[in-house]
């Protein structure tokens, strides 16, 4: 990772409310298969988001995903995206979703 990419990742990791997500997951008994079918704790959630973000920063930068300049995943309640222009990371996005519905085809 470049220093610029690390700065984006650090900002995401510093400002996303992982404690709130961990609390919601405990309250809902939300289990992850990657946590051996158990409720992940905050350190596990942080490590998972960090790992995915790194993976999709690279995907966005080298255009190996489904859309040029974009890398993303939706799993375990999380949606994580990385955006780049001309091979330079322009932003990271993360959300944790409890419920969502769409009729968009």
């Amino acid at each position: 990772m470049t220093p610029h990419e690390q700065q984006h990742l650090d900002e995401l990791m510093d400002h996303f409310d992982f404690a709130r997500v961990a609390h919601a997951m405990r309250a809902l008994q939300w289990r992850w298969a990657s946590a051996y079918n158990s409720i992940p704790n905050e350190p596990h959630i942080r490590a998972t988001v960090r790992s995915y973000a790194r993976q999709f920063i690279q995907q966005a930068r080298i255009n190996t995903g489904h859309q040029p300049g974009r890398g993303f995943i939706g799993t375990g309640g999380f949606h994580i995206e990385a955006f780049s222009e001309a091979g330079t990371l322009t932003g990271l996005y993360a959300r944790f979703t409890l419920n969502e519905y769409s009729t968009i085809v």
Side-chain angles (χ1 to χ4, degrees):
M1 288 186 75
T2 69
H4 174 74
E5 292 166 349
Q6 186 63 52
Q7 183 179 11
H8 276 274
L9 181 56
D10 290 346
E11 182 176 342
L12 174 70
M13 298 305 295
D14 289 346
H15 295 284
F16 191 86
D17 194 346
F18 289 100
R20 188 173 185 191
V21 171
H23 178 80
M25 291 182 88
R26 280 191 308 274
L28 295 170
Q29 298 290 301
W30 192 312
R31 299 179 184 282
W32 275 0
S34 65
Y36 305 104
N37 199 31
S38 64
I39 302 165
N41 60 21
E42 185 177 341
H44 187 122
I45 295 166
R46 284 178 167 277
T48 300
V49 168
R50 183 185 320 274
S51 175
Y52 281 134
R54 283 184 174 149
Q55 180 181 345
F56 293 104
I57 286 169
Q58 181 177 359
Q59 187 181 82
R61 184 171 19 99
I62 61 177
N63 292 320
T64 59
H66 298 289
Q67 295 180 357
R70 185 171 175 221
F72 63 93
I73 189 171
T75 185
F78 276 95
H79 180 92
I80 302 164
E81 289 188 65
F83 302 92
S84 73
E85 289 183 20
T88 300
L89 184 71
T90 58
L92 286 175
Y93 172 80
R95 78 171 181 249
F96 180 75
T97 306
L98 294 177
N99 187 17
E100 189 173 45
Y101 177 82
S102 175
T103 62
I104 298 171
V105 180

